[in-house]
Amino acid sequence: MASEDITKLAESLAKTTVGGGQLSFKGQSLKLNTAEDAEEVIKQIEEFDGLEALRLEGNTVGVEAAKVIAKALEKKSELKRCHWSDMFTGRLRSEIPPALISLGDALIAAGAQLVELDLSDNAFGPDGVRGFEALLKSPACYTLQELKLNNCGMGIGGGKILAAALKECHRKSSAQGKPLALKIFVAGRNRLENDGATALAEAFGIIGTLEEVHMPQNGINHPGITALAQAFAINPLLKVINLNDNTFTEKGAVAMADTLKALRQIEVINFGDCLVRSKGAVAIADAVKEGLHKLKELNLSFCEIKRDAALTVAEAIEDKTELEKLDLNGNCLGEEVCEQLHEILEGFNMASVLGSLSDDEGEEDDDEEEEEDEDEEEEEEEEQQQLKERGAEEQESLTPKKIIDSQASTPVPSPPVDVATFLAFPSPEKLLRLGPKCSVLIAQQTDTSDVEKVVTTLLRISSVFKDEAPVKTAVHETTDALMKKAFSSATFNSDAFISNLLVHMGLLKSEEKIKTVPSLYGILMTLNHMVQQDYFPKSLAPVLSAFVTKPNRALDSCSFARHMLLQTLHQL
């Protein structure tokens, strides 16, 4: 290292702040490429007794420097907070995962028990999530309360990896009697889209302790918003929901409004620039009016809300004594309605809470909104197709180079699969390899006059359920073909079917020894689809609901799927 570089580094390190168990190199623009570059940083870390928080934001750390810093961290068992945002400026994306792996392994080796992990503003993409995946699954993160991953470009693939890691962390920590109790989750500007958001929603539903969720600017449409809403309903401590700049539409807004009715601690709702439109705004207003007495901020700006809906929102906050800000800017109100809003709030002695309306778009005709709704549905269908294609591309980008290279050689043909092979040893791959006629083949080869065989076949089909589109579709179509054939038969006993199924699920006791399914997730998700179909006898819904509602350890481990099924049954 040149003498002038050493002098510059020394001057930067002189700005290092120490206090309250925290060592901070924040904003020093240190360029730590080699072990030599990092010597002074390492010295500071090694000499710091009782290190609880390490700030490395605003610097750039290379692979070699990360390794030696990691070595110093292996002895810091008291470390609780890692403020490591924006610390890979100018680095190649390929450099970030190995650097994160080194640092994560050090924390695991040290026996640290993290409370906060902030990796925001590090553009590591889907591959980067692999860099701290092992850390998230380790005992070092069983105590994690705050996870901040804002602006990391994780994408759909990264979102799925993250969700799986969080679920695994919760599973392992629960086994030790202290379940992961994550409070704050931040993942804005990550291109998570519907599939990434849905994967994370499943993890949120399992965790159940969230207090703040910040996921703005993620390209999430109503399917992802609905999945998040269902997960939020199982997190009763939620105080802050920030989903700014996603696309709710009426469907997503209504789903979120239903969830808000079940939450009692909400203080901040930021649905600005989310296209909730008038019907969605009215649904949210109803939720606000019914409860949310701790609400401090409601942001519905730039949502294409029109006059009557905006007035409904204003009237809904009449008794919200804690409210500090209502943002309805950038909607389609017109000057007259803007004045009416002021009058309504003045009547409540709450005029000061209304934010600026300077960007109001002016009044529009209701006919235009109907046309927009039609266009919106078409746009969403196109977007869904694009999202699926993009998600597939991202999954390909996660494939290790060695695997890609090996595929260049002559592929080994897969052995043929028939229905008997699939049913004997079910797997998603085997179901897909049965081909497009798999649903017809399985239905044809199942004796639907035998309730036991129908239940067994259904459980085998549902056991391979995955949220991935091809598998999910294949499971749904095969289930539909089988159950439509069974329920349409005059000799099929529906009551015996539901009883037999509940026994195999471990929800109903039997005099005979019956082996129950190892996991209820697949059958619960499949039932959630089944009960919505015309062939499913609606008389069975109350029975199913009664048993799924009862306390059961097997159901507790599939809380998200259980909640989705119960919600669907309630709506029938």
Side-chain angles (χ1 to χ4, degrees), residues 90 117 130 226 235 290 326 329 357 362 379 436 503:
L117 177 61
R130 294 287 190 200
T226 300
N235 284 264
E290 286 184 21
L326 171 63
N329 199 18
L357 296 172
E379 287 169 8
V503 167

Side-chain angles (χ1 to χ4, degrees), residues 469-490:
V471 178
K472 187 184 201 177
T473 301
V475 169
H476 285 172
E477 289 177 353
T478 309
T479 299
D480 289 343
L482 173 68
M483 299 315 302
K484 190 173 183 180
K485 178 185 175 186
F487 285 126
S488 61
S489 171

